[in-house]
């Protein structure tokens, strides 16, 4: 885009103080004010009245009367066309606008600059940008209002680049914009994300004294805030001498979009009230959003009460944001009450409920509550489909994320079909969510099919697919896809490199991993974080090169976290290097770990080596840290029904058959090499507070797998979700179950996805640490 031409100060100085304001079209009923004024002409018809050239009494004509006169072919004065064109804009009637244009051409009224400008505006607002431009180019005279109408119109028609070209053309022709023109140009800069030209327009406004005009300042604040320069927006904000409600709302809304500016946004809201400016429904919606980001329900209730005080409580955006706040805080009953009371609920309301439940799944107090919230989201989605509302792309992306979290493949496949039927499958957001859902449900081929069918792909989609290949034990495919991603010109981020290094770790590709680790730092300037270091260490441990893992830690100088030290403990123990295993365990205990699975890992190691003093030390630390007890839970969905299991659970009606099947499978497994592994466990009883040693014979996932083998057809994939990491014993046994039953068994635990097939697991037998 060309820069704004330099103009003489003397010429423009006279423009801004007396710049012509854009004229608002007169109301549909036009009164006769001044017969000789070009902005207030008489609307009398040539035949309206008696003979002798005597004028009819002055009176207003409504739109219907005026249109009737045009239809009857009566001659009218040019100002009558303005309210007609205004009516065309209100109704969005392009055909009517063209009919008026035809009558204007017939009567010669099109030569009137004011009327022609109104027609340019009408064409633009009815979506006929080409007609507007053709009319504009044919006008013998144009004023600043005409140019402004064209700039504004292009932006309204999603053609902001053309609007900016018109602005530059205007300056090159020596015409001087008013602050309305500059405001329209800034809106075009915002729509085209051209912050550089926006800064030039800002400089132009400063040069000619327009920056302090409130509407101009509002446009500047909006431009900078929405294009990611909040500091510049704040500077423009503080330079506005008379701030109105739009000014304050623009800045508060900008703060609501940035999680790091929550306190600033709330502070601005208080300043707004202190300044005596009354907030509107848009202000309150943004403030409620700030409360939601802050998770401050008390403040939210005060804002809710304030909305009642000023009469905004019935406004739908305010109700939506209030409901969403209650949902984010886990107050699901109150959120549902507000939702059910809304008679004017929009698709935004439904989406807020579904996405809200999806988000609070992670903050649930336990896995049972998390799944309950997921099912509630699915129920709301079902109710939405039965209502008059139609799901949009945000609905589908949110509900697919719920299916991903719950590994609800059947529901996900149904939603996939609905996206095809509704036409939203082509949207990149929906398609990315679909790829992620299939990956999380263990369907890598379906994920790849959805990925290949995408018309456009973002780095999120590429990363999701690379991660899927890595999780499914297909490292070469992950590495190849990364190469294709770079060839496509898509820039990877730090999460992409985590997935890539994980794939190298699985395949034991040390040189490639070190190459990509260096590429990340040098070529993409991404500083490694703990996940990247963890992948490198995981690779060395998988290969049995535990000394190299410790050397890598020393060489890079990073501080391993609880997860990495746990991986080192398990890896060193697995490869028989107990000296380093005990060293890693001491480092781990220095961190005073919070995860109960970490303590189980340590107890298993110390008990198996009969280090009873260390056992006592771990148990003492567990008591001090109040880590609670290990609750083993698993779920399996069969024919839209969810079955829930605890360890040694006998509540299922087919419990006898389940245990008999497991006994038979374990006997067969022993014949082909299975050896039971004894774990040091904690009591799974809700009432037990003291830890107890001894192995639980059947963990929850083994029972869920047994039910899947019983109730699904031969050859069908069994899918199970587990709330904690699989233990070695269950991992070894289920791996052999897949071989004995000729089934694909997928178990997604708290750490990773395990895909068992033909006696092998996608994790390479390194996914079970306990």
């Amino acid at each position: 885009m060309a820069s704004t031409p330099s103009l003489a100060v003397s010429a423009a100085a006279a423009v801004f103080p007396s710049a012509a304001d854009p004229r608002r079209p007169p109301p549909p009923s036009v009164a006769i004010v001044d017969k000789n004024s070009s902005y207030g002409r008489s609307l009398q018809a040539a035949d309206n009245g008696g003979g002798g050239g005597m004028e009819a009494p002055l009176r207003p004509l409504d739109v219907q009367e005026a249109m009737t006169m045009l239809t009857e072919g009566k001659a009218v004065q040019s100002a009558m066309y303005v309210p007609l064109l205004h009516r065309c804009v209100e109704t969005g009637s392009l055909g009517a606008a063209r009919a008026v244009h035809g009558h204007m051409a017939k009567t010669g009224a099109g030569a009137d600059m004011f009327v022609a400008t109104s027609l340019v505006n009408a064409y633009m607002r009815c979506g006929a940008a080409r007609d507007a431009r053709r009319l504009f180019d044919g006008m013998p005279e144009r004023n600043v209002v005409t140019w402004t109408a064209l700039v504004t119109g292009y932006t309204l028609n999603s053609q902001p680049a053309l609007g900016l070209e018109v602005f530059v053309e205007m300056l090159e022709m020596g015409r001087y914009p008013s602050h309305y023109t500059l405001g329209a140009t800034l809106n075009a800069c915002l729509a085209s994300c051209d912050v550089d030209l926006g800064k030039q327009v800002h400089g132009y406004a400063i040069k000619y004294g327009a920056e302090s005009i409130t509407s101009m300042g509002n446009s500047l604040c909006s431009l900078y805030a929405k294009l990611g320069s909040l500091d510049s927006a704040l500077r423009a904000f503080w330079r506005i001498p008379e701030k109105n409600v739009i000014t304050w709302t623009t800045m508060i809304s900008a703060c609501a979009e940035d999680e790091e500016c929550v306190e600033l946004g709330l502070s601005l809201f208080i300043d707004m009230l202190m300044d005596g400016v009354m907030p509107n429904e848009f202000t309150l919606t943004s403030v409620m959003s700030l409360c939601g980001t802050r998770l401050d329900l008390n403040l939210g209730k005060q804002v809710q009460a304030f909305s009642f005080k000023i009469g905004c409580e019935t406004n739908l955006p305010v109700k939506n944001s209030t409901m969403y706040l209650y949902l984010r805080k886990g107050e699901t009953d109150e959120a549902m009450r507000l939702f059910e009371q809304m008679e004017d609920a929009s698709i935004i309301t439904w989406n807020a409920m579904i996405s809200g439940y999806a988000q609070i799944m992670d903050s649930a107090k336990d896995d049972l509550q998390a799944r309950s919230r997921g099912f509630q989201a699915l129920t709301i989605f079902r109710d939405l489909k039965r209502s008059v509302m139609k799901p949009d792309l945000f609905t589908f992306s949110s509900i697919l994320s719920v299916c991903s979290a719950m590994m609800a493949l059947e529901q996900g496949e149904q939603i996939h079909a609905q996206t095809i039927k509704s036409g939203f499958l082509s949207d990149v957001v929906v398609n990315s969510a679909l790829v992620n859902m299939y990956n999380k449900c263990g369907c890598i081929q379906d994920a790849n099919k959805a990925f290949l069918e995408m018309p456009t792909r973002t780095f999120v989609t590429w990363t999701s697919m690379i991660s899927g290949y890595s999780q499914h034990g297909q490292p070469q495919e992950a590495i190849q896809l990364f190469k294709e991603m770079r060839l496509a010109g898509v820039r990877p981020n730090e999460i992409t490199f985590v997935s890539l290094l994980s794939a190298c770790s699985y395949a034991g590709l040390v040189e490639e991993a070190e190459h990509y680790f260096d590429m990340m730092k040098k070529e993409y300037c991404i500083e490694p974080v703990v996940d990247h270091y963890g992948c490198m260490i995981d690779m060395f441990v998988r290969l049995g090169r535990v000394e190299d893992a410790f050397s890598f830690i020393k060489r890079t100088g990073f501080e391993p976290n609880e997860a990495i030290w746990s991986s080192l403990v398990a890896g060193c123990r697995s490869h028989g290097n107990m000296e380093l295993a005990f060293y890693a365990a001491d480092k781990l205990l220095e961190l005073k770990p919070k995860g109960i699975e970490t303590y189980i890992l340590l107890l298993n190691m110390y008990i198996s080596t009969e280090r009873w003093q260390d056992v006592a030390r771990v148990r003492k630390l567990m008591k001090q840290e109040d880590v609670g007890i290990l609750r083993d839970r698993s779920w399996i969905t069969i024919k839209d029904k969810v079955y829930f299991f605890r360890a040694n659970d006998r509540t299922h009606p087919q419990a006898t058959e389940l245990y008999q099947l497991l006994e038979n499978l374990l006997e067969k497994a022993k014949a082909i090499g299975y050896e039971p592994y004894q774990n040091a466990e904690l009591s799974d009883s809700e009432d037990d507070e003291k830890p107890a040693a001894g192995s639980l014979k059947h963990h929850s996932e083994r029972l869920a797998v047994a039910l899947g083998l019983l109730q699904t057809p031969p050859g069908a994939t069994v899918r199970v979700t587990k709330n904690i990491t699989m233990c070695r014993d269950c991992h070894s046994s289920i791996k052999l179950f897949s071989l004995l039953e000729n089934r694909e068994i997928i178990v997604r635990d708290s750490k990773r996805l395990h895909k068992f097939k033909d006696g092998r697991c996608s994790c390479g037998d390194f996914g079970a640490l306990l």
Side-chain angles (χ1 to χ4, degrees), residues 405-420:
M406 299 177 66
M407 208 162 79
L409 178 62
E410 292 181 20
Q411 290 86 348
E413 289 175 332
Q414 294 172 19
I415 294 165
H416 184 182
Q418 291 167 33
T419 63
I420 296 173

Side-chain angles (χ1 to χ4, degrees), residues 392-421:
D392 62 9
L393 63 95
F394 300 106
T395 319
F396 285 119
S397 61
S398 295
I399 200 63
L400 283 170
S401 72
V402 172
C403 295
S404 300
M406 299 177 66
M407 208 162 79
L409 178 62
E410 292 181 20
Q411 290 86 348
E413 289 175 332
Q414 294 172 19
I415 294 165
H416 184 182
Q418 291 167 33
T419 63
I420 296 173
K421 184 178 179 180

Side-chain angles (χ1 to χ4, degrees), residues 263-468:
E263 299 304 322
L264 173 61
L266 293 173
S267 175
L268 287 173
F269 178 60
I270 294 172
D271 291 344
M272 175 184 184
L273 297 178
M274 296 294 290
D275 206 36
V277 179
M278 183 61 67
N280 59 19
E281 63 270 22
F282 303 105
T283 321
L284 295 176
T285 300
S286 296
V287 173
M288 196 64 79
S289 178
L290 290 167
C291 295
T293 304
R294 196 185 187 191
L295 294 178
D296 192 336
L297 185 58
N298 290 331
L299 182 58
K301 287 180 178 179
Q302 294 179 49
V303 177
Q304 184 183 13
F306 186 78
S307 69
F308 274 90
K309 182 178 179 180
I310 64 174
C312 289
E313 76 281 358
T314 59
N315 181 268
L316 184 58
V318 175
K319 291 192 291 185
N320 286 343
S321 57
T322 304
M323 177 196 70
Y324 191 64
L325 170 62
Y326 278 106
L327 198 54
R328 287 287 307 276
K329 282 294 291 181
E331 300 285 342
T332 54
D333 291 341
E334 180 63 17
M336 186 59 70
R337 185 187 68 81
L338 292 171
F339 175 67
E340 291 173 347
Q341 288 179 349
M342 290 189 198
E343 297 179 357
D344 56 345
S346 66
I347 188 60
I348 297 174
T349 313
W350 290 90
N351 288 346
M353 288 297 290
I354 293 171
S355 63
Y357 272 109
Q359 289 186 29
I360 62 175
M361 287 178 71
D362 293 333
S363 61
K365 64 180 180 182
D366 54 41
D367 298 276
L368 194 59
Q369 187 184 63
R371 293 190 73 83
S372 174
R373 290 172 172 178
F375 282 120
Q376 187 62 48
L378 289 169
T379 301
I380 294 172
F381 179 71
R382 180 202 63 195
D383 294 341
L384 169 60
K385 290 191 297 177
R386 294 174 179 175
S387 72
V388 296
M389 294 287 176
K390 298 295 181 184
D392 62 9
L393 63 95
F394 300 106
T395 319
F396 285 119
S397 61
S398 295
I399 200 63
L400 283 170
S401 72
V402 172
C403 295
S404 300
M406 299 177 66
M407 208 162 79
L409 178 62
E410 292 181 20
Q411 290 86 348
E413 289 175 332
Q414 294 172 19
I415 294 165
H416 184 182
Q418 291 167 33
T419 63
I420 296 173
K421 184 178 179 180
S422 61
F424 284 111
L425 185 61
S426 60
D427 183 82
V428 67
V429 175
V430 175
N431 230 319
S432 297
L434 192 64
V435 170
N436 185 57
M437 186 275 294
Y438 279 124
N439 275 332
K440 294 290 181 68
C441 291
C443 302
I444 189 65
Q445 292 181 342
D446 291 324
N448 184 51
K449 184 174 183 293
F451 176 80
L452 292 176
E453 290 175 351
M454 293 182 70
T456 56
R457 302 169 188 141
T458 65
F459 81 91
V460 175
T461 318
W462 287 93
T463 299
S464 178
M465 200 63 222
I466 293 170
S467 174

Side-chain angles (χ1 to χ4, degrees), residues 8 10 52 114 164 248 291-292 307 318 383 414 431 439 452 477 532 614 643 689 694:
S10 59
F114 174 62
L164 295 175
W248 290 99
C291 295
S307 69
V318 175
D383 294 341
Q414 294 172 19
N431 230 319
N439 275 332
L452 292 176
E477 288 83 349
H532 300 118
D614 288 323
Y643 298 90
E689 295 182 359

Side-chain angles (χ1 to χ4, degrees), residues 29 66 106 122 228 247 262 264 328 347 366 368 513 608 667 669 675 680 759:
S29 180
K106 184 177 180 181
T247 317
V262 174
L264 173 61
R328 287 287 307 276
I347 188 60
D366 54 41
L368 194 59
S608 65
E667 286 301 318
E675 294 182 2

